[in-house]
Amino acid sequence: MEKERKEEVYQRVKDQIKAALEGETDLIALMATIACLLHHSFDYFSWTGFYRVVAPGKLLIGPYQGTLGCLHISFDRGVCGAAASKEETIIVPDVHQFSGHITCDPNSKSEIVVPVFNNRDELIAVLDVDSTEYDAFDEVDKRHLEEIVTFLRDKK
Ligand code: SME
């Protein structure tokens, strides 16, 4: 998708997400709504969802859209684990070149994983978006997805 078009779609989906989240504080409901709205806004998103931090060093599947996701990921595995342990966004243009990538969907070719923090700056989850296209994600996705996960900061 062209950068300008991406910007437009992100602006629209952010407005939709803000409107849908208005007055809601339940974290799972919010994650489910964000995953759904994002997933259906971009045709290059093939898997869109959250892994929640449920114990030190442990991620568990949260609300998502797409093909079956694996349930448990530890911080020392996969792109999700790397983003969680480094607490920074990771863009992988070709998952086959990422050592330790976890193949949930064999058609997945690139991905972005964004850490999610609460208002005490503690890591509570990661947002994982996969694509069946190579090199699908760039700085535009990073900037907007990082902003979208801040909508979860002051929620329970
Ligand atoms: N992409 C992940 C695994 C989770 S799924 O793709 C849904 C990873 O290597 O961290």
Side-chain angles (χ1 to χ4, degrees):
M1 184 184 273
E2 280 176 19
K3 276 195 167 35
E4 275 173 28
R5 174 86 187 113
K6 239 188 213 193
E7 291 281 0
E8 280 171 22
V9 180
Y10 271 113
Q11 289 306 337
R12 199 183 59 220
V13 74
K14 279 194 293 194
D15 290 343
Q16 289 174 335
I17 291 171
K18 280 183 196 157
L21 301 192
E22 184 78 42
E24 183 53 70
T25 57
D26 183 90
L27 198 53
I28 301 296
L30 298 171
M31 287 179 171
T33 303
I34 290 173
C36 179
L37 285 171
L38 279 176
H39 190 76
H40 295 285
S41 296
F42 296 96
D43 54 9
Y44 62 98
F45 284 24
S46 60
W47 196 96
T48 313
F50 292 89
Y51 280 90
R52 294 186 303 126
V53 179
V54 290
K58 303 274 180 211
L59 295 166
L60 179 63
I61 193 82
Y64 71 96
Q65 301 262 323
T67 53
L68 184 67
C70 51
L71 270 67
H72 296 272
I73 299 180
S74 58
F75 278 26
D76 59 357
R77 293 202 57 222
V79 186
C80 290
S85 59
K86 292 186 175 140
E87 297 195 349
E88 63 186 37
T89 297
I90 298 184
I91 295 174
V92 179
D94 177 356
V95 296
H96 305 112
Q97 306 302 320
F98 188 94
S99 161
H101 171 255
I102 303 163
T103 310
C104 298
D105 176 0
N107 295 317
S108 173
K109 294 193 173 67
S110 63
E111 67 177 273
I112 183 169
V113 181
V114 178
V116 183
F117 301 97
N118 63 16
N119 57 9
R120 294 184 297 280
D121 288 327
E122 296 157 340
L123 182 81
I124 55 165
V126 295
L127 169 62
D128 178 10
V129 186
D130 295 1
S131 179
T132 53
E133 296 170 17
Y134 287 112
D135 203 14
F137 305 101
D138 59 21
E139 292 302 308
V140 177
D141 299 280
K142 177 177 187 289
R143 177 162 42 83
H144 289 289
L145 294 175
E146 286 180 348
E147 186 186 342
I148 287 167
V149 299
T150 67
F151 301 166
L152 298 169
R153 276 184 75 79
D154 55 351
K155 310 297 182 183
K156 292 191 279 287

